[in-house]
Amino acid sequence: MSAHCQLTGARPGFGKTISHSHRRTSRRFDPNIQRKRYWLASEGRHVRLTLSVKGIRTVDVIGVEAAVARIRARGVKV
């Protein structure tokens, strides 16, 4: 599963882990990605979205219809 949010566009960040001896090694900061299924009443079907937890909270505030409209505006097929 690709580690990016369909709604917010959150993607992994990259950086370094610094040990006690101050050696640096590369690491990756992944967003908290979840797959969630929503009922899309206008189309009479369920949609499965790959969202970060911030994206899930956004859907709770604006609603599924508006969230799907935003995702489609970004050019992502739902």
Side-chain angles (χ1 to χ4, degrees), residues 7 36 38 51 53-67 70:
L7 182 60
K36 191 140 170 71
Y38 290 100
L51 300 169
V53 174
K54 181 180 179 183
I56 292 172
R57 288 197 306 262
T58 302
V59 170
D60 291 343
V61 171
I62 68 173
V64 180
E65 303 289 340
R70 283 190 193 179

Side-chain angles (χ1 to χ4, degrees), residues 13-51:
F14 296 90
K16 301 287 186 182
T17 298
I18 302 180
S19 69
H20 180 69
S21 64
H22 222 64
R23 292 180 62 140
R24 291 171 173 88
T25 54
S26 293
R27 65 158 293 180
R28 188 174 138 143
F29 297 90
D30 286 328
N32 188 0
I33 297 295
Q34 311 290 325
R35 284 180 59 90
K36 191 140 170 71
R37 197 175 120 183
Y38 290 100
W39 174 252
L40 196 57
S42 64
E43 297 181 16
R45 68 183 183 105
H46 286 95
V47 291
R48 190 175 298 275
L49 302 176
T50 305
L51 300 169

